[in-house]
Amino acid sequence: MNITAGALILIVEDSVDLNGALCDILNSYGYRVQSALNGYEALGRLHESKPDVILCDIMMPGMDGYTLLQHTRSDVNLRTLPFIFLTALSSTTDQRRAKEIGIDDYLTKPIESGDLVIAIENALNRHRIMVED
């Protein structure tokens, strides 16, 4: 697999332990990571620097993942940013809702690190192709 060296991934996950574990995993694959514990914190990070991919939980206090996705899709500077949900929600209703808003990928917890990296690489490659056209 061709790892996109140094890509910046914004992890939005309210579980401190899982957030830290995801940061460690993605760092070990050569990604740079930023983390946020909720949607509001993520919006602040998005105004500071633009990541290459957002990896986001859905169920979070304050602003959930759906709302954060809607914010990014409505912002002209962020609307094409690859956005991946990593969530415990596995129903087709939840997946359909995410697809209607424009999610790039929908992953369910727990996930193997290799599968997570494949999803990120696919999102990065699709985005690169879209930008080049």
Side-chain angles (χ1 to χ4, degrees):
M1 176 187 320
N2 181 19
I3 298 295
T4 307
L8 178 61
I9 314 300
L10 174 59
I11 298 168
V12 188
E13 169 62 57
D14 62 319
S15 164
V16 174
D17 291 339
L18 182 54
N19 193 310
L22 289 168
C23 288
D24 291 345
I25 289 166
L26 294 180
N27 275 321
S28 75
Y29 278 92
Y31 297 108
R32 297 176 299 129
V33 295
Q34 289 183 332
S35 70
L37 296 174
N38 58 57
Y40 292 111
E41 189 177 334
L43 280 178
R45 296 234 186 264
L46 288 170
H47 292 294
E48 296 168 5
S49 63
K50 185 176 174 184
D52 297 298
V53 174
I54 297 173
L55 179 64
C56 184
D57 189 14
I58 293 177
M59 297 183 300
M60 298 179 290
M63 180 189 298
D64 67 9
Y66 293 121
T67 305
L68 179 60
L69 176 59
Q70 288 175 319
H71 278 284
T72 63
R73 294 305 185 239
S74 66
D75 184 324
V76 70
N77 296 315
L78 303 173
R79 80 172 34 129
T80 63
L81 186 62
F83 200 117
I84 299 171
F85 275 145
L86 177 58
T87 180
L89 300 176
S90 60
S91 77
T92 54
T93 302
D94 289 309
Q95 292 179 32
R96 186 176 304 114
R97 181 177 175 195
K99 288 175 184 177
E100 288 171 351
I101 302 170
I103 197 72
D104 290 282
D105 208 340
Y106 192 103
L107 308 172
T108 55
K109 299 173 187 173
I111 188 165
E112 295 290 325
S113 60
D115 293 333
L116 177 60
V117 170
I118 288 170
I120 290 170
E121 285 298 308
N122 285 337
L124 288 167
N125 288 331
R126 281 190 308 269
H127 187 256
R128 185 178 318 112
I129 290 167
M130 185 176 61
V131 169
E132 289 174 357
D133 286 347

